[in-house]
Each structure stands twice: as structure tokens, then as C-alpha cells.
């Protein structure tokens, strides 16, 4: 069979825009394809929700690919082990309660679980703002404002487009970009002790890990924070290349949003 390049073009354009069209009214928009975002997407898609991840980079996986200092092994503690077990990622016990996994295997398997469960991933797509509405006297985020990452990186003057979502999950890691934008541009209070971003603190894994899960919650109507973004928002420590908290945070945010949507 002779190959026609134009059919390849048509196949990509038509199929991509079908995928994009199906993301115009999302149940859940997740910003960031790190471990917490991928886990949340997998668990929400598994329950049948219309969920998509928007990831600025070409690659998915966030900070998980590189393990610690590019030694691409991750550590997971007892509490988070069941998430990787369920995904089918092989784990080795290093010492009682400390397990290792190959960072590449963990990243690709979580991405595979998410996409095969029906979650859509849009890589090279940056979330640059949110849509804010007043509904029955309460301000609420009802959508995301996205732009192509190459447009953002090149600083081109090109307008973004909007997608609707019932819930937004900020899983952008240390930078907490979306909530930062929300409060920089709007006179709103967050559901944090000060009403503002509390800010990330230095390394203390033992405290940071459980805090990541506790801090996974709705920080503003329609917006949940998950993963490292949760600690950056509510003011807790960083934890380095131990990933149980990230996985459990993704699992928790999926459960909480699923409860709301049902
Ligand atoms: O940082 P990241 O891996 O988030 P996470 O799920 O996991 C944190 C760990 O990797 C590690 C750690 C573990 O102990 O502390 O750091 O909390 O992934 C965040 C992803 O979000 C993307 C970014 O490129 C990265 O892949 N991202 C950040 N801002 C935006 C974004 C944005 N505005 N739009 C789209 N993607």
C-alpha cells in the first residue's frame, strides 16, 4: 500500500481535535503531570469522570523521572506502597518500611494507567490563568485558560483559549502557579490560615509526607491542591525523592472530588 502523507496529516488533525473537543467541558482539569497529577487522573478516570491533565513540558512525569539528583530510583514508604502495587510497578524492600522502584517504570506505568483508564493528557500545554465566576454570591473557579507552551516559551503575543471544568486540581509542584495567579489577580481569600499562600518550608520528610496528604484539599471554591503544591499552599516542608505522599495525595484528591461529583 502506498503511503500518503496527507492522510497522516488528516489523521492527526481530526483525531487531535476530537480529543480536544471532548475536553471542552471537563469534570476535572488537572494542572501538572507529576506523580500526584497522574495518580489523580488515573483514579478519576477509573471512576468514569471526564478528566484531563495539562502539562507544560513535552514530557510527563514532573519530578519523578529523575529520582534523586538524576539517580533514577524513587523511594516509597509503607503507606504509599499500595498505589504502586495496584499499578503493577515492581518494588524492592530496601529496609523495613522503605521500598525502591525504578523511576522510569513508575512514571510510565502511572501515565499508562491514567491514559488507558480514559484520562486525556495534553502535553506542551500551559495553564496560564483561571476563569472566575460569582455563583449564588460565591466566587468560584469554573474553568482554565490554556496556551501552547511553545507560544509561552517564545513569548509570542497569542491569546489563550478556555476550557470549562467542575473542579480544578493544582498539581504543579513547588511553584503553585495557578493559585499564585488566582490571588495575584483577584481580591480573594484562600482556605488557608492567613487567607494567603503560606509558602513552602525547607526539607523535613517525616513531617512533610503526612502533611502533603492532610493539605490535599479544596483551597478555593472549585480548586483543590495536591502533591507538593499542597504543602506550598498550606505551609509545610519539602521532602525530596520519597514519593508515597505524592501518590496518596493523588489518591485522596480523586476520592474527595469523586464524592462531590457524585
Ligand atoms: O513537581 P511535580 O512532579 O509535582 P508533584 O506531583 O510531585 C512532586 C515531586 O515530583 C517532587 C517532590 C517529591 O518528593 O517533591 O518534586 O507535586 O510536577 C509538576 C508538573 O506540573 C507542571 C510541571 O511542568 C511539572 O511537570 N506545571 C507546572 N506549572 C504548570 C505546569 C502550568 N502552569 N501549566 C501546566 N503544567
Amino acid at each position: 500500500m502506498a503511503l500518503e502523507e496527507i492522510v497522516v496529516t488528516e489523521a492527526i488533525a481530526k483525531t487531535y481535535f476530537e480529543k480536544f473537543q471532548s475536553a471542552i467541558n471537563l469534570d476535572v482539569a488537572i494542572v501538572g503531570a507529576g506523580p500526584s497529577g497522574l495518580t489523580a487522573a488515573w483514579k478519576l478516570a477509573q471512576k468514569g469522570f471526564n478528566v484531563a491533565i495539562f502539562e507544560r513540558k513535552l514530557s510527563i512525569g514532573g519530578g519523578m523521572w529523575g529520582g534523586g539528583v538524576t539517580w533514577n530510583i524513587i523511594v516509597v514508604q509503607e503507606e504509599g506502597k499500595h498505589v504502586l502495587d495496584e499499578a503493577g510497578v515492581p518494588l524492592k524492600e530496601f529496609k523495613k518500611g522503605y521500598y525502591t522502584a525504578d523511576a522510569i517504570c513508575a512514571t510510565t506505568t502511572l501515565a499508562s494507567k491514567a491514559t488507558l483508564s480514559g484520562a486525556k493528557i495534553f502535553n506542551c500545554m500551559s495553564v496560564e490563568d483561571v476563569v472566575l465566576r460569582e455563583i449564588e454570591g460565591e466566587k468560584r473557579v469554573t474553568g482554565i485558560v490554556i496556551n501552547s507552551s511553545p507560544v509561552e516559551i517564545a513569548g509570542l503575543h497569542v491569546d489563550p483559549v478556555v476550557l470549562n471544568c467542575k473542579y480544578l486540581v493544582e498539581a504543579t509542584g513547588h511553584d503553585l502557579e495557578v493559585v499564585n495567579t488566582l490571588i495575584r489577580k483577584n481580591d480573594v481569600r484562600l482556605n488557608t490560615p492567613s487567607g494567603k499562600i503560606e509558602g513552602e518550608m525547607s526539607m523535613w520528610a517525616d513531617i512533610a509526607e503526612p502533611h502533603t496528604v492532610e493539605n490535599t484539599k479544596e483551597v478555593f471554591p472549585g480548586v483543590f491542591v495536591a502533591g507538593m503544591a499542597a504543602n506550598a499552599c498550606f505551609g509545610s516542608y519539602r521532602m525530596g525523592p520519597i514519593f508515597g505522599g505524592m501518590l496518596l495525595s493523588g489518591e485522596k484528591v480523586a476520592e474527595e472530588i469523586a464524592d462531590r461529583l457524585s
Side-chain angles (χ1 to χ4, degrees):
M1 190 191 84
L3 289 176
E4 291 185 58
E5 295 89 347
I6 206 69
V7 178
V8 177
T9 308
E10 278 172 352
I12 290 173
K14 187 163 187 301
T15 311
Y16 180 81
F17 285 103
E18 278 167 10
K19 176 176 165 182
F20 193 79
Q21 179 84 32
S22 73
I24 284 178
N25 287 297
L26 288 164
D27 290 321
V28 188
I30 299 174
V31 191
S36 63
L38 287 171
T39 306
W42 166 30
K43 297 289 172 175
L44 282 159
Q46 215 175 29
K47 292 178 202 287
F49 295 109
N50 185 10
V51 52
I53 303 184
F54 300 85
E55 167 56 54
R56 169 178 287 132
K57 294 187 183 146
L58 181 58
S59 66
I60 47 75
M64 195 153 72
W65 288 113
V69 294
T70 74
W71 305 337
N72 58 6
I73 300 294
I74 59 163
V75 173
V76 176
Q77 66 276 51
E78 196 67 53
E79 291 83 349
K81 178 179 177 287
H82 69 270
V83 181
L84 292 185
D85 280 339
E86 192 192 330
V89 176
L91 290 157
K92 280 192 212 151
E93 189 167 28
F94 178 73
K95 267 191 180 175
K96 192 168 166 30
Y98 293 80
Y99 299 86
T100 61
D102 185 274
I104 308 300
C105 179
T107 305
T108 54
T109 305
L110 286 178
S112 165
K113 285 299 207 188
T115 49
L116 292 176
S117 303
K120 294 172 269 277
I121 300 182
F122 294 95
N123 54 345
C124 272
M125 204 56 93
S126 295
V127 175
E128 61 169 58
D129 207 339
V130 295
V131 180
L132 196 62
R133 287 287 178 274
E134 194 157 322
I135 300 170
E136 292 167 6
E138 180 191 69
K139 286 199 174 133
R140 183 179 179 87
V141 167
T142 61
I144 53 171
V145 179
I146 61 167
N147 213 329
S148 163
S149 301
V151 163
E152 181 193 60
I153 292 161
L156 301 178
H157 190 170
V158 179
D159 270 317
V161 293
V162 166
L163 302 177
N164 285 340
C165 60
K166 293 178 186 147
Y167 287 98
L168 183 161
V169 176
E170 159 126 47
T172 59
H174 298 271
D175 294 341
L176 189 68
E177 273 193 29
V178 179
V179 170
N180 260 302
T181 304
L182 171 69
I183 65 160
R184 176 171 52 81
K185 288 194 168 185
N186 306 284
D187 182 23
V188 293
R189 275 183 71 80
L190 302 174
N191 172 31
T192 57
S194 68
K196 301 188 169 108
I197 292 169
E198 302 297 337
E200 181 187 309
M201 291 148 72
S202 293
M203 184 78 83
W204 193 350
D206 188 42
I207 309 280
E209 281 290 286
H211 276 185
T212 307
V213 186
E214 279 164 41
N215 291 333
T216 297
K217 52 190 165 188
E218 194 172 29
V219 67
F220 185 79
V223 181
F224 280 74
V225 281
M228 194 59 224
N231 278 4
C233 192
F234 282 93
S236 187
Y237 300 91
R238 66 184 306 190
M239 74 292 290
I242 180 155
F243 283 80
M246 299 299 136
L247 305 170
L248 293 170
S249 168
E251 190 177 59
K252 178 179 171 187
V253 80
E255 274 164 21
E256 296 217 346
I257 292 178
D259 279 352
R260 303 277 189 100
L261 289 171
S262 335

